[in-house]
Amino acid sequence: MGLVEQTLRNWVTAFEVGTLNGAGAEKVTSEAMELSRLRAENVRLKREVDILKKATAYFARDAL
């Protein structure tokens, strides 16, 4: 995700204490955190699929 390890650690600590706040000082729910994580994972997986498609096309062309 490109996060600094300490940032993630601070978020986990803030969540455990119950002081994790998002933009506008609204409470960030565990559901919102999970949704954010899933969106980031979705982006990562789409990139991986794109790389694999390009690699497949490259090797298929190279095999001919």
Side-chain angles (χ1 to χ4, degrees):
M1 290 176 45
L3 292 175
V4 177
E5 184 178 337
Q6 185 60 42
T7 301
L8 186 57
R9 189 179 329 231
N10 291 342
W11 290 348
V12 169
T13 302
F15 176 75
E16 289 172 349
V17 174
T19 59
L20 183 62
N21 294 322
E26 295 178 17
K27 281 273 197 186
V28 177
T29 64
S30 60
E31 291 85 8
M33 290 176 66
E34 178 71 3
L35 182 59
S36 178
R37 185 191 68 76
L38 290 171
R39 285 181 175 156
E41 182 180 3
N42 192 21
V43 168
R44 182 184 58 83
L45 292 172
K46 284 181 180 181
R47 287 183 190 149
E48 290 178 3
V49 166
D50 188 44
I51 290 169
L52 291 172
K53 283 181 182 178
K54 289 177 182 178
T56 301
Y58 174 79
F59 288 116
R61 181 185 62 208
D62 199 35
L64 296 175

